[in-house]
């Protein structure tokens, strides 16, 4: 059977009423083709433009290697000047990515180039939205966002492959305890079902983003992304109205993250080995019970 992926809904434009009823309330992803075409960024945001705007600011870079058991989450692999990194991803494939960097803090003029989609919903969070850069072939590991926000993720200067899974599949995706990411030992793009049988039958959604496409990812959706070209994206984040979701976000950002960092620091590989065993056990139980239903 394998992993069952359905194509995502794609619209050129959408009204607030249609967006609310079809996607926001039921928390379903959608790609909006024309939203960013109204932004100055649609024309302006080339590699050379952002390189010149941000310049030689040193940025943290991440690769595709399994996380260090002793390191806090989102610990960078190395650092590089932003301009040099842009040169690198234009020149050759690399698995180095910029993750959750805020170049707009260093280039305030970029604030003029995008428009938050407040005509669709309210509750937008970031004064300086996060941007993500990747070289051809680089991969963002399977995870859901720790703050549980709704995300409008707009892509520029290339293509990106995205796979999405509802939050309810967390056990079958081998979610690690006290974390918002999955076991890193399997490749969701080419899984070994004999070794990770709980993945067999998992249902998700797939899409391919091109320049100017905006992906709406509702709160809690797991996502895996692969850069098919050296390119970049911007994420605009908004709160869900649910107080339960907000409480979940607060728990993730404070208690859970702090506990996880302390345990990693003190017990390192022993703690990570325990987490991985628990993830496998929970996945096996969920599979036997036919979860989620």
């Amino acid at each position: 059977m394998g992993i069952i992926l359905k194509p995502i809904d794609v619209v050129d434009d959408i009204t607030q009423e249609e967006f609310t009823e079809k996607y926001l309330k039921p928390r379903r992803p959608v790609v909006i083709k024309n939203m960013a075409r109204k932004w100055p960024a649609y024309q302006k945001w080339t590699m050379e433009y952002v390189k010149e705007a941000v310049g030689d600011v040193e940025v943290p870079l991440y690769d595709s290697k399994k996380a260090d058991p002793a390191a806090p989450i989102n610990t960078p692999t190395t650092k590089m000047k932003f301009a040099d990194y842009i040169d690198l991803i234009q020149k050759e494939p690399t698995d180095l990515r910029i993750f959750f960097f805020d170049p707009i803090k260093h280039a305030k003029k970029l604030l003029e180039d995008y428009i938050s989609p407040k005509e669709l919903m309210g509750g937008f969070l970031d004064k300086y939205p996060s941007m993500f850069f990747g070289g051809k072939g680089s991969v963002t590991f399977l995870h859901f966002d720790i703050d549980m926000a709704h995300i409008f993720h707009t892509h520029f200067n290339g293509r990106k492959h995205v796979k999405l899974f509802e939050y309810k599949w967390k056990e079958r995706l081998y979610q690690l305890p006290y974390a918002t990411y999955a076991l890193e030992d399997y490749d969701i793009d080419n899984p070994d079902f004999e070794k990770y049988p709980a993945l067999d039958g998992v249902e998700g959604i797939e899409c391919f983003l091109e320049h100017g496409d905006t992906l709406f990812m509702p709160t809690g959706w797991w996502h895996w992304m692969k850069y098919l070209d050296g390119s970049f994206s911007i994420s605009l984040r908004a709160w869900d109205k649910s107080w339960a979701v907000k409480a979940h976000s607060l728990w993730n950002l404070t208690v859970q993250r702090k506990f996880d960092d302390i345990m990693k620091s003190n017990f390192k590989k022993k703690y990570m080995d325990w987490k991985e065993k628990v993830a496998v056990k929970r996945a096996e139980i969920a599979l036997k019970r036919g979860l989620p239903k």
Side-chain angles (χ1 to χ4, degrees):
M1 179 164 40
I3 293 175
I4 303 163
L5 294 172
K6 297 179 180 179
I8 198 167
D9 285 1
V10 178
V11 299
D12 289 329
D13 297 289
I14 193 167
T15 64
Q16 182 185 51
E17 182 180 12
E18 185 180 13
F19 174 75
T20 300
E21 293 303 316
K22 286 189 175 182
Y23 303 105
L24 183 58
K25 284 184 178 179
R27 295 178 181 166
R28 289 177 54 210
V30 62
V31 169
I32 306 170
K33 300 289 288 185
N34 290 340
M35 192 179 85
R37 295 186 183 189
K38 305 178 182 80
W39 301 356
Y42 183 74
Q43 299 292 338
K44 293 169 67 175
W45 280 14
T46 64
M47 290 290 195
E48 290 304 316
Y49 180 81
V50 294
K51 173 183 169 182
E52 182 180 342
V54 180
D56 288 332
V57 174
E58 190 174 66
V59 296
L61 301 176
Y62 302 82
D63 62 18
S64 301
K65 294 178 183 176
K66 190 173 180 178
D68 180 350
I73 191 171
N74 298 341
T75 300
T77 302
T78 186
K79 294 182 179 180
M80 184 183 292
K81 289 182 178 179
F82 182 80
D84 292 340
Y85 175 74
I86 294 299
D87 287 341
L88 173 66
I89 65 173
Q90 289 187 96
K91 183 175 64 175
E92 60 190 46
T94 175
D95 70 343
L96 292 175
R97 296 175 292 111
I98 295 178
F99 174 72
F100 262 122
F101 172 57
D102 295 338
I104 294 173
K105 288 183 179 179
H106 306 281
K108 299 287 179 64
K109 69 177 185 178
L110 296 178
L111 286 167
E112 303 169 3
D113 294 340
Y114 69 90
I115 304 166
S116 293
K118 294 179 181 178
E119 75 280 3
L120 295 182
M121 66 175 295
F124 283 90
L125 297 170
D126 300 328
K127 182 178 181 182
Y128 301 116
S130 296
M131 295 183 72
F132 303 82
F133 294 73
K136 181 179 180 179
S138 62
V139 171
T140 303
F141 59 82
L142 185 63
H143 70 287
F144 64 93
D145 283 28
I146 194 169
D147 62 0
M148 303 295 290
H150 297 298
I151 304 165
F152 290 85
H153 186 79
T154 303
H155 197 60
F156 295 92
N157 285 276
R159 298 165 298 143
K160 180 183 276 188
H161 183 192
V162 183
K163 295 185 179 184
L164 300 156
F165 304 92
E166 276 190 85
Y167 183 75
K168 68 181 182 180
W169 290 99
K170 58 186 185 296
E171 286 90 3
R172 294 277 296 273
L173 292 171
Y174 296 84
Q175 179 186 0
L176 294 174
Y178 305 108
T180 59
Y181 54 95
L183 192 69
E184 295 178 71
D185 294 325
Y186 70 82
D187 178 5
I188 194 67
D189 201 34
N190 186 28
D192 182 341
F193 294 112
E194 289 189 9
K195 193 171 182 181
Y196 303 102
L199 295 173
D200 196 10
V202 168
E203 299 173 6
I205 293 174
E206 183 175 39
C207 67
F208 293 84
L209 300 178
E210 298 180 342
H211 179 79
D213 288 349
T214 299
L215 167 63
F216 169 67
M217 286 189 292
T219 175
W221 274 72
W222 290 80
H223 44 283
W224 168 94
M225 299 183 175
K226 182 175 183 178
Y227 291 83
L228 303 181
D229 305 290
S231 48
F232 62 92
S233 307
I234 183 172
S235 281
L236 308 178
R237 315 172 77 79
W239 278 121
D240 187 84
K241 289 184 178 181
S242 165
W243 285 104
V245 172
K246 291 174 182 176
H248 192 170
S249 169
L250 185 62
W251 170 268
N252 288 347
L253 290 164
T254 55
V255 179
Q256 178 174 282
R257 173 179 273 183
K258 186 65 176 178
F259 174 80
D260 198 48
D261 285 346
I262 290 171
M263 294 296 286
K264 283 181 181 178
S265 178
N266 286 291
F267 299 101
K268 300 180 174 65
K269 187 175 184 299
K270 184 177 180 181
Y271 174 59
M272 288 303 296
D273 288 346
W274 171 82
K275 288 176 64 156
E276 291 179 359
K277 287 178 183 177
V278 171
V280 170
K281 186 65 176 177
R282 287 177 177 173
E284 290 173 349
I285 292 171
L287 180 61
K288 287 178 182 177
R289 293 180 176 176
L291 301 175
K293 294 181 179 179

